[in-house]
Amino acid sequence: MKRLILLLVAVLAFIGQPALAGPTFPKLTGRVVDDAHLLDAQQAQALDARLAALEAQSGHQLVVVTLPSLQGYDIADYGYQLGRTWGIGGKANNDGVLLIVAPTEHRVRIEVGYGLEGILTDALSSVIINTQITPKFKQGDFAGGIDAGVDALAQQLQLPPEQAQQRAAQLAARQQKQANEPQFDFGTVVFLVIFFFFFVLCVASWLSKIVLRLP
């Protein structure tokens, strides 16, 4: 009976091992890890050179990684674990940045080490993704979208720290103000116009009946 219990435990551990193992990560082979094959050799080489120049000028590491699959994980969870595994930016400052592209799941993320969170805020990262990267991706231009994202990130990383923090804070405040303002999309406006039109018609019809009943 004891051997049977041990065998059962071993079998259950073997079955559960893939679920407990966590995601697998690509090897950090350079500043551009293009496992989804979105870039040709010339594009990858040119991008690597730009990232090397950015690191030399700003002291911050920016790595671009494209993934064939997120392996069922949310990109935020995967990106956090990938950043910890690779150790981008060094242990002392933790000031590395990952631009993660997962084309199969249509997901993009900018993973930022806590040393740069005041400079590359969630609000700024969202703006870069939505205005610089995603529009080109929708056109099928993955290389152009990655280049545009790197340009926007480099612009922020090359600013003096105080100026970069001020810019990020202003953007966050502007987004918060816009979020607090009433939002009316085209469908809402059309609905309100139609509702108002029928309301006026009903009131006019009601008034006409009253007028007709008067002696």
Side-chain angles (χ1 to χ4, degrees):
M1 178 63 69
K2 185 176 180 181
R3 290 183 178 180
L4 181 60
I5 294 175
L6 292 175
L7 178 61
L8 181 60
V9 171
V11 170
L12 291 175
F14 177 78
I15 294 174
Q17 185 175 0
L20 298 175
T24 58
F25 303 114
K27 292 182 179 180
L28 181 59
T29 55
R31 295 178 180 86
V32 180
V33 181
D34 185 26
D35 273 23
H37 307 293
L38 302 181
L39 309 171
D40 60 33
Q42 185 176 1
Q43 290 169 337
Q45 185 177 5
L47 181 58
D48 186 271
R50 290 172 57 200
L51 296 175
L54 172 64
E55 184 175 342
Q57 191 275 335
S58 67
H60 303 306
Q61 283 186 324
L62 170 57
V63 174
V64 174
V65 54
T66 71
L67 303 166
S69 172
L70 291 171
Q71 305 168 38
Y73 286 83
D74 179 77
I75 193 170
D77 184 24
Y78 188 98
Y80 173 75
Q81 295 190 56
L82 179 61
R84 287 176 60 88
T85 300
W86 279 358
I88 301 300
K91 294 182 179 180
N93 299 322
N94 196 3
D95 58 349
V97 183
L98 290 176
L99 173 55
I100 307 170
V101 180
T104 303
E105 292 90 348
H106 305 285
R107 299 302 306 274
V108 181
R109 179 169 176 80
I110 298 172
E111 186 68 31
V112 181
Y114 65 78
L116 288 177
E117 288 179 350
I119 292 176
L120 286 176
T121 60
D122 291 342
L124 179 56
S125 295
S126 177
V127 168
I128 292 174
I129 291 173
N130 293 329
T131 64
Q132 304 298 321
I133 301 176
T134 302
K136 291 187 179 296
F137 280 8
K138 289 181 177 179
Q139 298 172 359
D141 185 7
F142 287 102
I146 291 172
D147 281 341
V150 168
D151 285 342
L153 289 169
Q155 179 184 4
Q156 182 71 359
L157 292 173
Q158 289 173 328
L159 291 174
E162 292 184 1
Q163 186 177 347
Q165 290 179 2
Q166 183 180 12
R167 180 171 180 255
Q170 289 173 347
L171 177 61
R174 192 182 311 129
Q175 284 196 329
Q176 184 63 40
K177 181 180 178 181
Q178 292 174 350
N180 293 333
E181 292 176 351
Q183 300 295 321
F184 296 99
D185 55 20
F186 180 74
T188 303
V189 173
V190 171
F191 172 78
L192 291 175
V193 170
I194 294 174
F195 176 81
F196 180 76
F197 176 74
F198 278 102
F199 176 78
V200 171
L201 284 180
C202 291
V203 172
S205 176
W206 178 70
L207 289 177
S208 66
K209 290 180 180 180
I210 293 178
V211 171
L212 290 175
R213 290 177 183 176
L214 291 176

